[in-house]
């Protein structure tokens, strides 16, 4: 029997473009699938940044005019092979010449186009997938279009898997506009199909029409049966609970490796963990702290949104800064958080280091040079940052929600078990309690070392996740 052919469909992916954890997953999974004996491809938009940085490596395959409702739109198709993975890019200046996510209704149109273009491109691509693995709402119309508009296509046999990376973003638009974009018959404007709370909903379309649904941790899969987490999708989630599987993400062990990370001042492994101190000193210098101070560094690298629990941080940070600690924040997002952290930067120089922006190299140096990594999320489908910090021997302090429950074992001082710290309630003082507990452990050097070892020894690699995906692709492939 020939190898299974998997094509991942996503709005972003490493090493080309990244705004969050989805890109990491799209970067890691195909390489691991190949290692497990599958053939793997990825299809994504040719965003402006990718076009400018990768243009000399891209090979033009075809162009075509495709129908988007009553309009006709240009589609260019480019290809690139890297590490055995076939990458395909959809080119259209109007949709992908600007921001990766346009926001609001413009974003729904942007990615409705992408869904149509992906299916159209299958006519030109030599890679013939057995399974289209779609990710998040940006790809959500593909399973529906495939089942309702492509029954006679050569590729009608393709099975679809759909992964929910974040239920918060659903792609909503009034049905009439969706109908105009993708020629959806009115009979689908019902709660059994794509209607949800008076709108057409791309997430819902995927949840109804995909052959199998996965999400990025078992705990989030359970949480999604609850209206609070499902954000309006609880009906369809409960109806298909038996076809919803939680697979914990992993991280790319080549990209995140303290033994060879090119951004670090000094490399280290579990055996040479004392070298981590050099990275801490370098980080202190980078953020204007006294490099000779023994004060523990607590850091965050995050999108600045409500989801990430920043309201707890806003409430408790000044109290925390009265202790002998250093705090680092790297992130960007909502303006009110920018304002707050700029205020903190001005008031606590030498104690708080704030960088508003997106910087991958800086993120690596923070993961390596910090002692603790704070992630007090309101909800968290999986989370990668806590796993990255564990890989660097930096102990995560997390709120017990979603994938954070599946990936962080809280320290138990009686058994020595654990690879981080956690707290339950969405409450600033519970968070502080957990941080103070971590600070106590910081000064107990034996306990700290044990925890760091547990964290670094943990298998957070994407290999483990890929094995799970393979098992379920196999079930679909038959
Ligand atoms: P989410 O996907 O919800 O944003 P994850 O924890 O799953 O959260 O993944 C976030 C990824 O994005 C991590 O790799 C993290 O290091 C990275 N990241 C987030 N914000 C920044 C930033 N400002 N600069 C660099 N990397 C960032």
């Amino acid at each position: 029997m020939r190898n299974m052919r998997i094509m991942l469909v996503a709005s972003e992916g490493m090493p080309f473009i990244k705004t969050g954890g989805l890109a990491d997953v799209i970067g890691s999974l195909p390489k691991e699938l190949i290692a497990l004996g599958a053939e793997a491809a990825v299809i994504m938009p040719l965003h402006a940044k990718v076009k400018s940085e990768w243009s000399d490596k891209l090979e033009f395959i075809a162009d075509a005019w495709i129908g988007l409702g009553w309009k006709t739109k240009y589609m260019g198709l480019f290809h690139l092979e890297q590490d055995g993975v076939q990458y395909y890019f959809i080119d259209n200046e109007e949709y992908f010449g600007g921001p990766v996510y346009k926001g609001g209704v413009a974003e729904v149109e942007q990615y409705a186009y992408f869904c149509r273009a992906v299916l159209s491109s299958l006519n030109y691509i030599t890679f013939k997938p057995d399974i289209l693995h779609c990710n998040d709402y940006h790809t959500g119309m593909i399973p529906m279009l495939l089942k309702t508009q492509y029954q006679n296509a050569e590729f009608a046999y393709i099975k679809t898997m759909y992964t929910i990376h974040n239920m918060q973003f659903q792609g909503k638009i009034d049905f009439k506009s969706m109908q105009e974009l993708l020629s959806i018959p009115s009979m689908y404007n019902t709660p059994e199909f794509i209607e949800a709370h008076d709108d057409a909903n791309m997430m819902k379309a995927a949840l109804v029409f995909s052959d199998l649904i996965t999400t990025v941790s078992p705990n989030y899969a359970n949480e999604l049966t609850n209206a609070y987490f499902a954000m309006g999708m609880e009906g369809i989630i409960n109806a298909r609970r038996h076809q919803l599987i939680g697979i914990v993400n992993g991280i790319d062990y080549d990209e995140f490796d303290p033994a060879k990370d090119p951004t670090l001042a000094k490399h280290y492994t579990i055996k040479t963990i004392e070298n981590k101190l050099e990275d801490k000193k370098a980080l202190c210098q980078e953020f204007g702290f006294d490099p000779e101070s023994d004060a523990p560094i607590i850091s965050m690298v995050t999108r600045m949104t409500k989801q990430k629990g920043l309201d707890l941080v806003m409430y408790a940070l000044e109290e925390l800064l009265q202790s002998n600690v250093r705090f680092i924040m790297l992130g960007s997002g909502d303006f009110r958080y920018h304002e707050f952290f700029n205020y903190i930067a001005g008031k606590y120089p030498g104690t708080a280091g704030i960088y508003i922006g997106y910087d991958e190299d800086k993120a690596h140096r923070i993961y390596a040079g910090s002692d603790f990594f704070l992630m007090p999320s309101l909800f968290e489908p999986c989370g990668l940052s806590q796993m990255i910090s564990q890989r660097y021997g930096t102990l995560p302090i997390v709120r017990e929600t979603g994938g954070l429950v599946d990936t962080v074992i809280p320290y138990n001082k009686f058994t020595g078990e654990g690879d981080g710290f956690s707290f339950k309630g969405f409450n600033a003082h519970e968070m502080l309690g957990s941080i103070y507990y971590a600070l106590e452990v910081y000064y107990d050097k034996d306990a700290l070392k044990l925890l760091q070892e547990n964290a670094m020894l943990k298998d957070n690699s994407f290999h483990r996740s890929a094995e799970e995906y393979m098992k379920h692709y196999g079930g679909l492939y038959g």
Side-chain angles (χ1 to χ4, degrees):
M1 210 164 93
R2 65 169 176 78
N3 294 340
M4 227 178 347
R5 297 192 195 116
I6 316 297
M7 180 179 265
L8 300 173
V9 192
S11 51
E12 56 179 282
M14 285 293 275
F16 305 101
I17 186 135
K18 166 169 165 178
T19 71
L22 170 64
D24 290 314
V25 174
I26 301 303
S28 315
L29 181 55
K31 287 189 272 178
E32 296 293 346
L33 294 179
I34 290 175
L36 292 170
E39 291 177 38
V42 177
I43 186 161
M44 68 173 91
L46 187 61
H47 293 294
K49 179 171 177 280
V50 186
K51 202 172 193 172
S52 61
E53 287 173 13
W54 291 80
S55 64
D56 49 339
K57 298 217 170 61
L58 294 174
E59 165 210 0
F60 173 80
I61 302 181
D63 56 11
W65 291 91
I66 62 171
L68 199 64
W70 54 269
K71 298 181 214 159
T72 319
K73 298 284 178 179
Y74 172 81
M75 176 185 79
L77 193 55
F78 288 83
H79 170 251
L80 163 87
E81 182 180 333
Q82 187 153 299
D83 300 330
V85 183
Q86 309 303 321
Y87 290 95
Y88 296 96
F89 297 92
I90 305 277
D91 181 29
N92 179 297
E93 280 288 325
E94 177 187 349
Y95 292 120
F96 305 127
V100 175
Y101 301 109
K102 290 184 180 220
V105 166
E107 185 175 308
V108 174
E109 179 174 340
Q110 185 185 13
Y111 284 96
Y113 163 82
F114 179 59
C115 292
R116 174 65 78 202
V118 167
L119 287 165
S120 306
S121 73
L122 293 178
N123 293 312
Y124 303 93
I125 289 176
T126 47
F127 187 96
K128 302 290 174 206
D130 301 302
I131 291 167
L132 275 179
H133 181 168
C134 301
N135 293 276
D136 268 353
Y137 100 75
H138 307 97
T139 63
M141 297 308 289
I142 292 174
M144 175 174 186
L145 294 176
L146 187 61
K147 282 214 170 99
T148 59
Q149 297 183 5
Y150 289 82
Q151 296 98 322
N152 298 319
E154 219 181 281
F155 50 81
Y157 58 85
I158 293 178
K159 293 282 196 292
T160 53
M161 183 189 273
Y162 178 71
T163 300
I164 308 162
H165 294 262
N166 195 333
M167 190 55 111
Q168 190 179 12
F169 309 107
Q170 298 184 356
K172 302 172 195 173
I173 195 168
D174 64 284
F175 183 79
K176 197 123 194 64
S177 303
M178 177 57 86
Q179 187 165 38
E180 278 182 18
L181 285 168
L182 293 175
S183 313
I184 310 280
S186 299
M187 63 174 274
Y188 292 113
N189 187 22
T190 73
E192 288 76 19
F193 293 111
I194 69 168
E195 189 270 338
H197 310 279
D198 299 331
D199 273 325
N201 184 306
M202 289 173 74
M203 172 72 80
K204 174 104 185 257
L207 296 178
V208 170
F209 283 95
S210 55
D211 294 306
L212 189 68
I213 308 167
T214 73
T215 189
V216 288
S217 69
N219 193 42
Y220 191 57
N222 280 333
E223 288 175 345
L224 283 176
T225 58
N226 179 304
Y228 175 77
F229 293 98
M231 301 179 183
M233 292 297 111
E234 55 279 7
I236 180 67
I237 287 285
N238 280 294
R240 295 201 68 190
R241 179 66 185 94
H242 61 296
Q243 291 159 314
L244 166 64
I245 291 148
I247 302 176
V248 175
N249 281 335
I251 55 169
D252 188 326
Y253 265 30
D254 289 328
E255 193 194 338
F256 298 105
D257 184 356
K260 59 172 203 231
D261 188 329
T263 66
L264 303 194
K266 185 108 183 171
H267 293 147
Y268 60 95
T269 64
I270 196 159
K271 292 209 182 83
T272 55
I273 187 131
E274 61 283 359
N275 290 348
K276 187 170 159 64
L277 194 58
E278 295 303 314
D279 291 304
K280 180 170 176 177
K281 286 188 175 162
L283 189 65
C284 284
Q285 255 146 5
E286 186 168 350
F287 280 90
F289 304 158
D290 171 9
E292 297 313 318
S293 162
D294 182 39
I297 301 182
I298 304 171
S299 297
M300 297 185 76
V301 175
T302 187
R303 283 187 293 120
M304 286 187 184
T305 64
K306 196 173 158 65
Q307 177 197 334
K308 299 296 179 179
L310 292 169
D311 295 288
L312 300 191
V313 180
M314 276 173 76
Y315 193 83
L317 186 56
E318 289 201 73
E319 187 175 334
L320 175 65
L321 293 178
Q322 307 311 312
S323 315
N324 184 31
V325 294
R326 303 287 177 263
F327 176 81
I328 289 179
M329 162 60 90
L330 164 63
S332 67
D334 297 351
F335 181 66
R336 67 194 184 99
Y337 300 125
H338 290 193
E339 268 192 320
F340 171 76
F341 286 107
N342 280 329
Y343 152 77
I344 291 289
K347 188 163 171 192
Y348 299 94
T351 304
I354 310 293
Y355 186 95
I356 308 277
Y358 184 90
D359 186 326
E360 277 163 28
D361 288 358
K362 217 179 254 306
H364 281 239
R365 292 194 293 272
I366 293 173
Y367 286 118
S370 305
D371 299 294
F372 299 102
F373 190 89
L374 181 62
M375 224 169 152
S377 305
L378 177 60
F379 65 93
E380 193 62 73
C382 180
L384 297 176
S385 297
Q386 79 281 14
M387 292 191 261
I388 302 172
S389 15
Q390 285 171 336
R391 173 92 165 135
Y392 285 84
T394 298
L395 301 174
I397 303 172
V398 305
R399 180 166 169 263
E400 291 165 21
T401 183
L404 298 174
V405 172
D406 292 314
T407 54
V408 176
I409 303 172
Y411 178 53
N412 179 327
K413 65 181 169 192
F414 302 106
T415 62
E417 188 194 35
D419 43 37
F421 299 86
S422 68
F423 61 99
K424 213 175 186 66
F426 193 71
N427 174 307
H429 280 98
E430 258 191 68
M431 176 184 79
L432 274 183
S434 191
I435 295 175
Y436 290 141
Y437 183 36
L439 296 182
E440 247 174 64
V441 173
Y442 175 76
Y443 291 105
D444 177 348
K445 293 297 171 197
D446 291 339
L448 183 72
K449 188 142 190 281
L450 180 71
L451 268 165
Q452 285 176 322
E453 280 176 7
N454 290 349
M456 290 180 82
L457 283 173
K458 190 164 193 166
D459 183 4
N460 282 331
S461 73
F462 214 95
H463 187 76
R464 196 178 27 86
S465 326
E467 284 178 338
E468 280 281 298
Y469 279 112
M470 277 299 271
K471 201 170 79 194
H472 296 292
Y473 295 141
L476 285 177
Y477 182 50

